[in-house]
Amino acid sequence: MRPPATPRERSAPEPAPGQEPRDASNRDAPEAAEEPRTSQERPRASQESDTTTSDEASARPGRGSTARAHRPSTPEPSGSAAELPVTDLSDLAPAAWPTRMAAAWPAVPLLVALALWGYAMRHTDVSALDDYGLVSALHPTFWAGLAVLTAGFWLTVRDPRRRNGWSLAYVLGLLVMERATQAVLYPTPLYAWAWKHDAVIDHLLTSGGLQTADQLGDMAVYDQWPGFFAAQAALVRLLGVDNAAMYMAWWPLVSSVLLLLPLLLIYRTFTEDRRLTWTAVWLFCVANWVGQDYFSPQSVAFLLHLGVIAVVLRRYGRSGGRGGRQGQAVWTVLLSVLVTAIVVSHQLTPGMLVVTLVALVFTRRYRHWVPAVTTVVIFLAWCLTAALPFLSAAMPDMIRSIGDVGANVETGYGATPTGAGAVATSWAARLLSGSVLLLALVGVLRQRVLRHRALPLLLVAAAPLPMFVASSYGSEMIFRVLMFTLPGAAFFAAAALLPKVRTLAADAAARETGGRSPATMARRRRLPLPSLPPLRYGAWVPPLVLLAGTLAFVPSYSGKDRINYFPPREVALVQRLFDQAPDDSLVVAANRNYPLAYEQYWRVDHYWFLDDDRRHVDEIVRDPAAVLARDMAAAETPARAYFLLTQGQTANSEMNGQLDKAQLARVRESVAASPRFELIAENSAGVLYVLKPAS
């Protein structure tokens, strides 16, 4: 006796031979073709069709149902629901696997790119860098990985079905490939300035407090802006490590990841368009080649600077700051804490913040003086108290530099790239920055809606430009202005690469019109455009521009690693010097580009003769041993005078147009042949001599 038919079997008519079963999800096919919907907006029937149960699969004609037709029916257990037993894989829903694979396909380019990066890390040799730095040393799979990562990001961010998590994953992958490569490849931290900051932290841990200029000389400036160093000293104690050199190689990656939060808050203030937001973040990461993300006060100060801008844009505008006076007071307290941390940590960032906040005040949307006045008051209070000794000495030079734009932007002696590699990497950086700024201009002109809706962000990008008139900041003002301009410039540059952008106001208008924006309705009233090849609309131009910028970041950021990298043997040579140098000793070197250059600066003096007057440098080149012995004779017993020449000094001198390799070799040979000097240590990274006491 045949078992009774289930309700599903009675209600579902059998399809005719050769006819596909009708699906409820196809009823709205014309409407779906007219206006695509995201996965969240799909009809319920189509969502249910993606998760077909086993009994629905058995009701469909096919190989599985035919095979089950010849099997003897099994009576159902009494008291149980009407279910067909799962016997083999033919009972599974065939549509589930393609749906899951389609949802997870962005993981494939990301994993492939990271795998190529990992392979490149294992097959890259940095033992002998040339004038192109890391560019020529990297394994070719690194460049292939960057190309795959960029292509995957572009396809993912343009797909409306993808969520923000995939875009974030690609940006994090980009930061790993950009900022973690050096930490993985180099066994020692980069940048002589990072080693200098480690020495300042060591001084705070050793002395237990701040000291004046009478005790430290020029290095007392760090004790007058101690915020970053005091925090790092506490972190060293908290982690239980010997010094900050144990983790400062990974600081560029950490500081770059932390920048993502304020960037996203700033960009999402003006748009909810996921494409625009994440493309702007990507452009910011690849265009931020200036190198201020290393272990330094400015890396933290820049992060806090963007945090202040995010708070002001989101909470002090016309539509922000809800919650009455009490809520506004809370945000003012948070703002004061952030500004104080900036003011006590860095000299330049407070000035950049002041000009940015003042620029925002002059817009109709942000006529709120509290952020600007708070920043100015805290800044002046610090300058007139703790920082007054340094500012009193530096004020005459600062006043003379005001208005001298030509001198403020020139590099000067010892900072001009020399050689094919140095010139090529310098031009790569210039072209990268120039391209982003040009794209930003195109975005402003092309995306008319942003000129009004995102005007405050345009002012944020333009506000640092007057700082060219104020000071040269040690010939670095042009680089610092570029860094502070970049967050706003990247936003408008991303708008230039996208066909259409969405603002918060446009989204609100679209919701009021039933989900259709006025622009979409206007397009539907027009005659449809003919189907043309994608290249006619320049569909390939934006991804190619994005790929070119991503690849150009590597020479711009790592092209001078011959200068910035100090191998372990060079570190060991310098460490041997400080292990035996008595108090008040003198260290003479060509320049300060070597590890531990400021080690124990509170008890050992330094003299870098390439920083001296050009005429004196020429005297040293003509008769190195005699002139150097005369300069080093000031050290009195028991103090000693040391001459140190390392490969880091040589690379910096050659690539920055000071002394070439032949001139430095002549200095080394003259010292080696002089009876006034005694060899202390020597290896492939440099030499160390001591001046013999006069008879």
Side-chain angles (χ1 to χ4, degrees), residues 636-667:
E636 300 179 357
T637 308
R640 309 192 72 181
Y642 298 89
F643 174 74
L644 177 69
L645 186 62
T646 64
Q647 69 177 43
Q649 300 174 47
T650 303
N652 186 80
S653 178
E654 290 180 15
M655 296 183 66
N656 285 331
Q658 293 177 318
L659 296 181
D660 57 29
K661 186 175 182 179
Q663 292 172 317
L664 290 173
R666 186 169 184 272
V667 172

Side-chain angles (χ1 to χ4, degrees), residues 7 19 25 87 253 269 275 317 347 371 404 441 483 508 529 542 595 662 684:
Q19 180 180 359
S25 63
T87 57
L253 176 62
T269 304
R275 305 169 306 162
Q347 301 90 355
D404 193 357
L441 178 60
M483 183 177 69
L529 293 175
S684 58

Side-chain angles (χ1 to χ4, degrees), residues 266 270 305-306 309 313 356-357 359-360 454-465 484-489:
I266 291 173
F270 303 102
H305 169 86
L306 292 183
I309 299 301
L313 292 178
T356 303
L357 295 179
L360 288 176
L455 177 61
L457 192 55
L458 184 61
L459 293 177
V460 170
L465 295 178
F484 283 91
T485 301
L486 187 56

Side-chain angles (χ1 to χ4, degrees), residues 90-298:
S90 63
D91 293 326
L92 298 177
W97 288 104
T99 302
R100 294 174 182 174
M101 292 177 61
W105 78 259
V108 176
L110 178 61
L111 294 177
V112 170
L114 293 178
L116 292 172
W117 174 76
Y119 183 86
M121 296 301 96
R122 294 177 59 89
H123 295 81
T124 297
D125 183 16
V126 296
S127 59
L129 298 177
D130 58 15
D131 286 352
Y132 291 89
L134 193 59
V135 177
S136 58
L138 283 169
H139 193 271
T141 53
F142 177 87
W143 305 99
L146 270 184
V148 172
L149 186 75
T150 307
F153 168 78
W154 182 255
L155 294 176
T156 301
V157 80
R158 293 295 303 274
D159 191 345
R161 297 170 296 176
R162 305 302 168 195
R163 297 185 177 182
N164 289 325
W166 284 116
S167 300
L168 174 62
Y170 272 94
V171 170
L172 292 177
L174 174 69
L175 292 179
V176 168
M177 296 184 68
E178 284 184 346
R179 264 72 180 187
T181 296
Q182 295 169 319
V184 172
L185 291 178
Y186 299 132
T188 58
L190 294 177
Y191 304 112
W193 290 100
W195 290 87
K196 176 182 182 180
H197 297 152
D198 180 42
V200 176
I201 297 169
D202 186 44
H203 161 251
L204 288 180
L205 292 172
T206 302
S207 63
L210 306 178
Q211 296 181 336
T212 62
D214 296 336
Q215 298 167 299
L216 296 177
D218 294 338
M219 293 296 292
V221 64
Y222 295 102
D223 286 53
Q224 296 173 31
W225 278 273
F228 171 80
F229 305 105
Q232 293 299 325
L235 182 60
V236 168
R237 290 286 176 84
L238 180 65
L239 297 177
V241 296
D242 294 336
N243 48 49
M246 304 295 294
Y247 59 84
M248 67 184 185
W250 294 94
W251 195 261
L253 176 62
V254 174
S255 62
S256 298
V257 171
L258 293 177
L259 285 175
L260 295 181
L261 177 59
L263 276 178
L264 291 174
L265 291 176
I266 291 173
Y267 294 156
R268 288 180 62 84
T269 304
F270 303 102
T271 182
E272 287 184 349
D273 192 327
R274 181 177 55 86
R275 305 169 306 162
L276 177 58
T277 299
W278 288 106
T279 305
V281 171
W282 185 281
L283 284 175
F284 175 85
C285 293
V286 301
N288 189 19
W289 60 267
V290 177
Q292 300 303 313
D293 55 357
Y294 73 103
F295 187 71
S296 61
Q298 55 263 37

